[in-house]
Amino acid sequence: MKFNDITRGTGLEEHGITNANLIYWTPPTSVLYEQIVRRNEGLLTHLGAVAVKTGHYTGRAANEKFIVDDPASHPHINWGKVNRPFDPARFDTLYNRMLAYMHGKDLFVQDCFAGASPEHRLPVRVITERAWHSLFARNMFIRATPEELLNHKPDFTVIDMPNFHALPDVDGTNTETFIIVNFARRLIIIGGTGYAGEIKKSIFTILNYLLPHDERVLSMHCSANAGEKGDVAIFFGLSGTGKTTLSADPKRALIGDDEHGWDDRGVFNFEGGCYAKIIKLSRESEPEIFETTRRFGTILENVAIDTVSRRIDLDDDSFTENTRASYPISHIPNIVPSGMGGHPDNVIMLTCDAFGVLPPIARMTPEQAMYHFLSGYTAKVAGTEAGVTEPQATFSACFGAPFMVLHPSVYAELLKEKIARHDVSCWLVNTGWSGGGHGLGSRMKIAYARALVNAALDGSLLAGEFEKEPFFGLLIPKECPGVPAEVLNPRNVWADKAAYDATARNLVERFRNNFAQYGEFVAEEVAGVL
Ligand code: ATP
Ligand code: MN
């Protein structure tokens, strides 16, 4: 039997790759499984998912990401700590060494698409040295049909070589690790990290440039789902706030869990797969996602596995807190197969407020929605050092600053226009702490968060009464089916009311300090929200 009979396909010469040994062209999952096992890249778990380790990096290497500074894109890019400029000549030098590194190597190529909308989809090629990264690309992007494969011409290419390292002194990188986007050459190169999330988030990065800039389509770091009547909801939120968790709902069909576009027809997924956080995943609270951890095709990253029984332990965080499952969206039972939905009726902004002062759910005016979109607030619980209990507030514009290439006001303008045109209801949902901050209170139950979201989406909250809380000026519902009424106003569940007031005032102050940078870009009514 020949293991490598999928050697069709051409075009690697166009990238300068001329001397590869074996090239696997868009191999299917089974072939990739065989290669993962033959190359000792991972272990099969007892029900068929494959377990891998990402190595030193178990999350994104945010400080090692650069954008090549070329004349065409230069004026449009929001240069700064997120979008660091990289010299074009140094890119070419580094890339040439990378090409030399690929000589004689087996390579895996996935030709696929990003963007479910036929009008906006981007043909993408992902070239990797590891079979499991190829499976990741196959899971996460949109598959081409056999006919589409025959004519597939990549518009952007990702080359991911975790074992190839930069030389910081020569290349001008910070470390041996790099993720570099080159718009002029339509190329992304990744080296020195095996964290697969870089592959999907670098394509997200370029879509955040191309779609709003070239096509006036809003790109968003959000999940999306559709109700039985086809009513669409989108859920913005930073990492860990519940985009993936809350969008997987038995009664609502999943459109996507992380990245979407919104054009004149409605929303569309950029991806064809999901990437769920699975640390301490509960079968009861997240049954759909739990099932995917046991399916053929799912990649389990940095999950502890008993090497004898091949059973996994989702509670074990010895490799990282950021354990992940990558699976094709078709592993979730209730989905929208086209990846496309109409215009949203509801926009939900998720935050994980570890201070415990934001209400579990609140209705926002369009101005408040703009304010919170530009603020992009969440909080991280304190590290594990003894005695440190104060949470860290994070503000990340558009709920995704690390991936936004244009100025935040560009995305905010597009969102504002769409919210007004389609008469969208906007909600702020706190999936974080209640009854006190981290250490005092406890994290909101997933069942409550789901009940709150469902009541917003099915219209029952809108039909009821609201009260305005004094700190953020948010409208809090007085009742919600399935949720005890006293938790709806966060002040009620703090034993120490004075402590609540002080913590809330302090958070308002942090919002104001952060928002000062956006004042000149927004209407007075938005700047004056807080
Ligand atoms: P990323 O952008 O990194 O993919 P995300 O927004 O998709 O992040 P999730 O994967 O949904 O985040 O992670 C939310 C995590 O918080 C999950 O581990 C979930 O089990 C946990 N969690 C605990 N309580 C809640 C809650 N009330 N609502 C949502 N998630 C909760
Ligand atoms: Mn997610």
Side-chain angles (χ1 to χ4, degrees), residues 478-493:
K478 289 193 165 164
E479 286 175 347
C480 174
V483 183
E486 66 271 15
V487 309
L488 295 174
N489 187 329
R491 194 170 185 270
N492 291 343
V493 278

Side-chain angles (χ1 to χ4, degrees), residues 206-401:
I206 60 138
L207 290 173
N208 283 323
Y209 177 84
L210 300 174
L211 289 176
H213 183 261
D214 297 0
E215 308 185 40
R216 299 279 304 156
V217 173
L218 174 61
S219 55
M220 309 175 289
H221 188 213
C222 70
S223 58
N225 63 19
E228 278 155 14
K229 301 186 192 99
D231 57 299
V232 170
I234 57 177
F235 305 72
F236 287 100
L238 288 161
S239 187
T241 56
K243 292 184 297 301
T244 300
T245 299
L246 297 177
S247 59
D249 185 296
K251 291 204 277 314
R252 298 184 62 87
L254 182 63
I255 298 175
D257 83 323
D258 199 49
E259 309 169 2
H260 292 81
W262 186 351
D263 69 2
D264 292 338
R265 293 164 194 244
V267 300
F268 59 96
N269 194 359
F270 290 167
E271 302 180 289
C274 303
Y275 197 34
K277 277 178 175 294
I278 51 170
I279 193 73
K280 303 193 173 70
L281 188 67
S282 138
R283 187 178 203 164
E284 288 68 43
S285 308
E286 304 185 52
E288 296 84 7
I289 298 173
F290 186 88
E291 275 312 309
T292 70
T293 64
R294 308 145 68 90
R295 291 276 299 273
F296 181 81
T298 296
I299 305 169
L300 302 169
E301 284 182 6
N302 301 315
V303 172
I305 169 172
D306 181 323
T307 49
V308 177
S309 69
R310 300 303 180 94
R311 282 171 189 270
I312 56 170
D313 181 357
L314 294 174
D315 294 334
D316 188 325
D317 61 0
S318 47
F319 297 117
T320 175
E321 270 281 315
N322 188 30
T323 55
R324 293 264 176 176
S326 152
Y327 48 87
I329 193 166
S330 52
H331 276 21
I332 295 282
N334 190 7
I335 61 166
V336 178
S338 69
M340 291 186 281
H343 296 293
D345 293 308
N346 290 281
V347 165
I348 291 179
M349 298 186 185
L350 300 170
T351 180
C352 176
D353 175 27
F355 293 100
V357 295
L358 283 173
I361 194 163
R363 202 179 155 189
M364 292 189 286
T365 64
E367 291 74 27
Q368 287 175 324
M370 272 304 106
Y371 189 95
H372 284 278
F373 181 68
L374 280 165
S375 297
Y377 165 72
T378 194
K380 294 196 179 87
V381 297
T384 43
E385 300 125 89
V388 182
T389 51
E390 174 83 336
Q392 304 275 313
T394 305
F395 293 95
S396 179
C398 313
F399 295 101

